[in-house]
Structures are given as C-alpha cells and as structure tokens.
C-alpha cells in the first residue's frame, strides 16, 4: 500500500504539523517504513508460541506491610528540621 501525498497532508493536518512541500516525500517514506514493519509484525507466525506476559515469572514481589516500633524517638526527631508534640512538623499540603 503506497501512501499518497493527500494522506500525508491529512495526517499532518490532524497532528497540527506545518510541513513544507519538499518534506512530504520524506514523511511518506518514513510512514511507509513504519507501515511495512507493522505489517511484518502482524504477519509473524505465533501459532506455536507460548503466551508470555513479562520477562520473568515474578509476581507481586512487594514486601508485606508490617508495623515496627521505633524505640528511640528522640534520636529520630533530631533529624527533623521542625518538630511539634513529639512529631515531625511539615508544611500544610492542600
């Protein structure tokens, strides 16, 4: 399937691109290359392949949420730029 000049101009208009007359052929060749490659991918033989979702088999490798009590709150609060009532004081977030 050959890309026409009118199709290039229509796509450029949809994408709000201002292309010059001498650029149309370059865009047509690039778009044709993309369409040819997508045609190769679409026609690739995949009948005998196993389904693959990711590169490895790991799923949900998140750590479990656990409450841990920190014994030395004073040492922790020494790092705070500002504190109030034995807690970190942060700017209001609205």
């Amino acid at each position: 399937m050959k890309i026409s000049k009118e199709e290039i101009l229509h796509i450029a208009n949809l994408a709000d691109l201002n292309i010059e007359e001498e650029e149309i052929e370059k865009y047509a060749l690039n778009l044709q290359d993309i369409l040819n490659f997508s045609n190769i991918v679409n026609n690739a033989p995949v009948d005998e392949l196993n389904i693959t979702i990711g590169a490895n088999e790991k799923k949900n490798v998140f750590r479990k949420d656990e409450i841990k009590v920190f014994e030395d709150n004073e040492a922790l609060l020494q790092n705070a730029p500002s504190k109030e009532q034995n807690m970190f004081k942060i700017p209001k977030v609205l």
Side-chain angles (χ1 to χ4, degrees), residues 63-74:
R63 65 171 172 80
K64 183 180 176 184
D65 285 337
E66 296 176 353
I67 298 173
K68 295 184 180 179
V69 178
F70 192 78
E71 299 296 332
D72 193 2
N73 284 342
E74 285 302 318

Side-chain angles (χ1 to χ4, degrees), residues 8 14 18 34 37 42 59 68 72 74 82 90:
I8 294 295
L14 291 174
N18 296 322
I34 292 168
F37 181 73
N42 283 337
K59 297 175 186 162
K68 295 184 180 179
D72 193 2
E74 285 302 318
S82 180
I90 62 170

Side-chain angles (χ1 to χ4, degrees), residues 8 18-30:
I8 294 295
N18 296 322
I19 60 174
E20 302 295 327
E21 189 70 29
E22 59 271 5
E23 295 178 308
I24 293 174
E25 185 63 30
K26 183 178 86 170
Y27 278 96
L29 291 173
N30 288 338

